[in-house]
Amino acid sequence: AKQTVSENGTYQFRVTDAAGNMTSKSIKITNIDKVAPTLEITGYSGTWTNENIVLTATADEGTIEYFDGTEWIVGDSLTVSENGTYQFRVTDKAGNITEKSVVVDKIDKVAPTMAISANTTAWTNQDVILTAAVSDGFVEFYNGTEWIAGAKQTVSENGTYQFRVTDAAGNMTSK
């Protein structure tokens, strides 16, 4: 006789022959697993950085893999150097699979651009206004003793002046 069971447990079978003799046997089933493993991915905080990020996957059971863009690789840690969607999965002994992905969107390894201009380059007996035009970031001007905020500064004498711009990831350009 054949019986299909759908959950773990102890099951009894008995057979009786024509003479009334009876035999019973029990079997304990412990290898049914219909619950997918848990999977968590850590390492990306969502804040700007100009560094690589190490993503780490943890699971309550099973084999962890990450997708390298071509194939699944066994491993629970992946170092990423650029923005993108990164996938992990875990497979338990019963073949249950959990997949998760994380979108990394705040890696910036490119320094901001900056151009400095003056309101006049002709000889003048007036103050000159220097303006720093930047692609992104926070602009500062060095006044000779300290850095002060501002993309526009008025100077009253000839000299060499310096601006710097720092973006949210920490990349800096100075001119």
Side-chain angles (χ1 to χ4, degrees), residues 18-123:
N21 299 309
M22 183 176 59
T23 300
S24 69
K25 295 280 184 185
S26 66
I27 184 168
K28 186 173 185 178
I29 303 297
T30 61
N31 60 339
I32 296 174
D33 177 2
K34 296 182 178 182
V35 177
T38 62
L39 179 64
E40 296 299 322
I41 303 169
T42 58
Y44 179 56
S45 66
T47 58
W48 284 102
T49 183
N50 57 12
E51 303 289 328
N52 292 344
I53 294 172
V54 178
L55 300 174
T56 303
T58 55
D60 62 345
E61 64 174 326
T63 302
I64 299 173
E65 301 170 290
Y66 62 87
F67 192 68
D68 73 352
T70 305
E71 63 183 331
W72 289 98
I73 307 292
V74 174
D76 63 358
S77 180
L78 175 63
T79 300
V80 298
S81 59
E82 60 187 32
N83 293 324
T85 300
Y86 298 93
Q87 297 173 291
F88 286 86
R89 74 178 178 191
V90 59
T91 306
D92 68 14
K93 292 178 183 177
N96 299 305
I97 298 173
T98 300
E99 285 190 32
K100 283 194 176 178
S101 61
V102 60
V103 176
V104 174
D105 60 358
K106 292 210 169 42
I107 295 177
D108 178 2
K109 295 185 177 186
V110 178
T113 60
M114 177 170 49
I116 301 172
S117 61
N119 67 327
T120 183
T121 55
W123 287 98

Side-chain angles (χ1 to χ4, degrees), residues 99-149:
E99 285 190 32
K100 283 194 176 178
S101 61
V102 60
V103 176
V104 174
D105 60 358
K106 292 210 169 42
I107 295 177
D108 178 2
K109 295 185 177 186
V110 178
T113 60
M114 177 170 49
I116 301 172
S117 61
N119 67 327
T120 183
T121 55
W123 287 98
T124 183
N125 60 3
Q126 301 294 312
D127 292 345
V128 174
I129 300 170
L130 302 175
T131 304
V134 300
S135 58
D136 67 316
F138 178 73
V139 180
E140 296 172 290
F141 173 77
Y142 189 69
N143 68 5
T145 56
E146 65 181 337
W147 290 98
I148 57 173

